[in-house]
């Protein structure tokens, strides 16, 4: 009986934390940067192989003087 309680508690806690991590922004948007044409160009869905798992996104800065920024 105690084993079932422990396993049930673990599964419930795991499920709740997974849902919260997918739905809640822990920083409240404080560490986000807007991306538009004044910042640079984005190339989405560039393929380097077969399948959707073999795609990437490339973000090129408009002002290369700001290239110290990490994206």
């Amino acid at each position: 009986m105690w084993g079932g309680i422990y396993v049930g508690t673990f599964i419930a806690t795991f499920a709740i934390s997974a849902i919260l991590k997918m739905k809640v922004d822990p920083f409240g948007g404080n560490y986000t940067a807007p991306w538009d044409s004044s910042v640079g160009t984005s190339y989405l869905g560039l393929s380097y192989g077969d399948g959707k798992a073999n795609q990437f996104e490339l973000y090129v800065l408009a002002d290369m003087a700001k290239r110290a920024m990490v994206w």
Side-chain angles (χ1 to χ4, degrees), residues 5-65:
I5 293 172
Y6 294 145
V7 170
T9 303
F10 173 79
I11 291 172
T13 304
F14 180 81
I16 290 170
S17 68
I19 291 169
L20 286 176
K21 288 178 183 176
M22 289 187 286
K23 299 290 181 183
V24 176
D25 181 10
F27 301 112
N30 290 333
Y31 298 102
T32 59
W35 188 271
D36 57 16
S37 61
S38 66
V39 178
T41 306
S42 60
Y43 302 95
L44 308 177
L46 297 173
S47 179
Y48 61 91
D50 296 333
K52 188 159 178 76
N54 295 328
Q55 292 183 349
F56 65 97
E57 299 173 352
L58 177 64
Y59 297 91
V60 180
L61 294 174
D63 183 9
M64 290 309 289

